[in-house]
Amino acid sequence: MDLDINPTQARNPDTTVKIDVESEANPTVETRTFRRIYVCIGVLKRGFAAGRRDFLGLDGAFMKGPYPGQVLSAVALDGNNGIYPLAYAVVESETLNSWTWFLSNLGDDLGLGTNSNFMFMSDRQKGLLPAIATLFPCAEHRYCLRHIHDNMKKNWRGKVFKDLLWECATTSNVQHFHQAMEKLKKLNNDAYEWLKQIPPQSWARSHFTGRAHCDALTNNLCEAFNSKIEDGRDAPIINCIEFIREYIMKKIVKVDKEIQKVVGPLTPTATTILDNIKSKAEQYVATFCGAGKYQVAGPWQDQCIVDVGQQSCTCKRWELTGIPCKHGVAAIWDMGRNDKDVGIPESFVHPCYWLSSWKEMYSFKVSPINGRSMWEKSAIPTTLLPPKHRVPIGRPKKKRTISIVEKEDFVRGNTTSRAHRSVTCTKCNNVGHNARTCKGQRPIVGGGGGQSQVKGKGKWKATT
């Protein structure tokens, strides 16, 4: 049973809020037990459409408050490669049923059907893969490469395996992909056979389509969103929903202020990417072959075919990202030198990276709402009861469970965390303090003789 409610619809038109309740054998009972809630604010739908990027990251995060459950989220990317939360839900757990319910509601809000060419990114959560395959069979579904590497480390560890995995994933054309896979096969055939079982369309750029104008390999956008709502996940369900809404409301205003400072045809991130591409394109020579096609050659025997009219290159990077590659920029410059009115390379960038698209995306603001004491009472006679909750034994956990692989990495020192590590002073090279708190101690001289400090007195004595 779904009950439509509208605590925010009066202030934010076209907002979708759905509640799913536990089934009840007796239909005459005036109470129902809460099961799930789904929210998609109306202005976020219009902002997502203005962004012109059919890309969504999907993920779930545990609730840490008095009631069990998980927060499911759908997060988009804006033209500056920043996160843009679109829809969220609180469900009882990550299952095929809950993901199907969430994605069905999301598809209704975005107008997605079985034939929609869309792109999803996920960590291959339980129940999510069959849900996407059933609801959106034509959609492209990418898997987070970091989680693939975590699974790979259970049997094949080391920097060599990691580097080869990333080489296979980051190559942009099929020929280079097969060459990288052959390297892995020579190193370890079992690792090669294991990786070959995962469809390359889900994790290798060489097999991606360009429909989303994004070459992302990890689901960091959802991880970033989950970290922003961590305090909200420690609250009751209604408070959690309100925390997420307020976070989105403040984020849109904050980004809009930054947009007002930007000058140029493209977003800051797109400008930086294109500037780096231009510096590389200076080493390439384009040869016109007729019909808008160019043969572009550069160092290290790098030679590709560019079709400026189709905005494509055989290296495939132009189609993947929507930004001209170094071969494409060299071809565009050559066209300009031959008195052809083709414009600057920025004019060939996909509209999703335009500053105007970025502005339009964040022009839709989430309107504030009144406090809970001023909410209108629902006309539905059914009384909604809180979800069933069993109090676990012991102190509730606030942090996620660390995997065995992560624990081993920490022991081996393969982590960016500085916890439990000794600090070395850059002034005196002594361990135990940093340069800011250094009191001018003399460095300890190694070998048979030297000096050492008497603890707590700041004096020095000779050592033998």
Side-chain angles (χ1 to χ4, degrees):
M1 177 181 178
D2 283 347
L3 302 174
D4 290 338
I5 61 175
N6 58 349
T8 61
Q9 287 175 344
R11 301 288 181 179
N12 298 280
D14 196 30
T15 295
T16 301
V17 181
K18 290 188 176 182
I19 288 182
D20 185 27
V21 298
E22 299 286 353
S23 59
E24 178 61 51
N26 185 5
T28 62
V29 176
E30 297 182 354
T31 59
R32 293 291 189 274
T33 302
F34 174 90
R35 189 182 184 192
R36 310 165 176 154
I37 182 170
Y38 166 89
V39 181
C40 183
I41 302 175
V43 293
L44 300 181
K45 303 176 191 178
R46 297 193 290 274
F48 175 73
R52 305 184 184 186
R53 215 170 189 180
D54 295 337
F55 175 89
L56 281 177
L58 303 174
D59 196 14
F62 283 100
M63 292 282 290
K64 300 185 293 182
Y67 295 104
Q70 289 202 340
V71 178
L72 306 184
S73 58
V75 183
L77 276 180
D78 61 22
N80 200 44
N81 284 348
I83 64 173
Y84 188 84
L86 177 61
Y88 47 95
V90 176
V91 300
E92 68 283 6
S93 61
E94 279 191 277
T95 62
L96 173 60
N97 186 277
S98 62
W99 272 116
T100 301
W101 181 77
F102 177 79
L103 291 175
S104 178
N105 292 327
L106 182 64
D108 293 340
D109 284 330
L110 301 182
L112 302 180
T114 55
N115 297 324
S116 298
N117 291 325
F118 207 79
M119 213 287 290
F120 296 102
M121 167 76 79
S122 76
D123 301 340
R124 296 193 293 178
Q125 290 94 329
K126 183 179 180 181
L128 180 56
L129 272 67
I132 292 179
T134 302
L135 295 174
F136 313 113
C138 295
E140 179 182 354
H141 188 186
R142 297 183 190 176
Y143 304 154
C144 178
L145 189 64
R146 184 173 67 85
H147 288 78
I148 293 179
H149 180 234
D150 287 342
N151 292 332
M152 185 180 191
K153 287 194 296 184
K154 295 177 182 178
N155 296 308
W156 305 282
R157 302 176 59 82
K159 187 175 183 299
V160 177
F161 287 103
K162 178 182 179 180
D163 291 344
L164 281 178
L165 174 64
W166 279 91
E167 182 179 349
C168 294
T170 54
T171 54
S172 58
N173 58 74
V174 178
Q175 292 80 7
H176 292 165
F177 170 78
H178 289 308
Q179 293 172 11
M181 288 292 287
E182 284 299 318
K183 293 181 183 179
L184 180 61
K185 185 177 182 180
K186 291 179 180 179
L187 177 65
N188 190 296
N189 187 69
D190 291 338
Y192 166 80
E193 292 294 336
W194 176 85
L195 187 59
K196 194 171 68 171
Q197 300 301 317
I198 306 175
Q201 295 84 358
S202 302
W203 61 275
R205 285 176 180 166
S206 57
H207 292 72
F208 289 169
T209 64
R211 65 181 66 167
H213 312 293
C214 174
D215 62 352
L217 294 172
T218 61
N219 200 18
N220 288 341
L221 69 166
C222 287
E223 300 289 345
F225 175 70
N226 290 336
S227 67
K228 296 296 183 181
I229 64 170
E230 184 174 1
D231 291 340
R233 292 189 281 123
D234 198 13
I237 294 175
I238 296 179
N239 294 31
C240 176
I241 294 296
E242 274 297 281
F243 184 94
I244 297 174
R245 183 193 63 82
E246 290 179 2
Y247 161 73
I248 298 174
M249 178 177 65
K250 291 183 288 188
K251 173 182 170 54
I252 291 178
V253 174
K254 181 179 179 180
V255 175
D256 187 53
K257 289 181 179 179
E258 296 298 323
I259 293 175
Q260 305 306 320
K261 304 175 185 177
V262 179
V263 178
L266 305 177
T267 64
T269 298
T271 301
T272 302
I273 293 174
L274 187 58
D275 288 344
N276 292 334
I277 292 174
K278 287 179 181 179
S279 63
K280 297 177 181 178
E282 295 175 352
Q283 307 177 52
Y284 286 75
V285 178
T287 304
F288 183 59
C289 305
K293 294 184 178 181
Y294 284 82
Q295 176 180 292
V296 182
W300 305 290
Q301 298 182 344
D302 184 10
Q303 182 171 303
C304 294
I305 302 172
V306 176
D307 190 333
V308 178
Q310 297 295 324
Q311 296 190 1
S312 64
C313 177
T314 51
C315 78
K316 203 181 174 181
R317 295 188 183 276
W318 195 344
E319 299 98 301
L320 278 176
T321 62
I323 300 176
C325 60
K326 53 191 175 184
H327 312 100
V329 170
I332 294 170
W333 283 343
D334 186 80
M335 292 180 68
R337 285 191 292 266
N338 288 279
D339 299 328
K340 294 184 179 180
D341 187 16
V342 295
I344 58 177
E346 283 79 359
S347 62
F348 288 85
V349 176
H350 189 271
C352 71
Y353 296 104
W354 293 355
L355 181 60
S356 57
S357 300
W358 196 30
K359 284 183 177 180
E360 184 182 2
M361 190 175 191
Y362 285 91
S363 65
F364 302 100
K365 306 295 193 299
V366 177
S367 299
I369 65 173
N370 291 319
R372 195 181 308 181
S373 62
M374 299 178 66
W375 289 358
E376 295 183 7
K377 187 174 179 61
S378 175
I380 300 176
T382 304
T383 301
L384 196 61
L385 301 179
K388 298 177 181 179
H389 176 46
R390 179 180 61 85
V391 179
I393 300 174
R395 186 175 182 177
K397 291 184 178 180
K398 298 295 182 181
K399 297 182 179 180
R400 68 179 181 89
T401 303
I402 303 299
S403 66
I404 297 177
V405 175
E406 289 177 303
K407 289 181 180 179
E408 292 178 356
D409 282 344
F410 182 81
V411 172
R412 295 168 182 263
N414 300 328
T415 175
T416 58
S417 174
R418 298 180 65 183
H420 309 294
R421 290 189 177 186
S422 299
V423 179
T424 302
C425 179
T426 56
K427 290 184 178 179
C428 66
N429 294 325
N430 284 313
V431 177
H433 65 275
N434 55 26
R436 184 175 60 84
T437 58
C438 182
K439 297 180 180 180
Q441 295 93 327
R442 298 179 185 177
I444 297 176
V445 180
Q451 290 180 320
S452 63
Q453 186 179 19
V454 178
K455 184 177 180 181
K457 296 184 179 180
K459 298 181 180 179
W460 295 85
K461 67 177 181 179
T463 58
T464 57

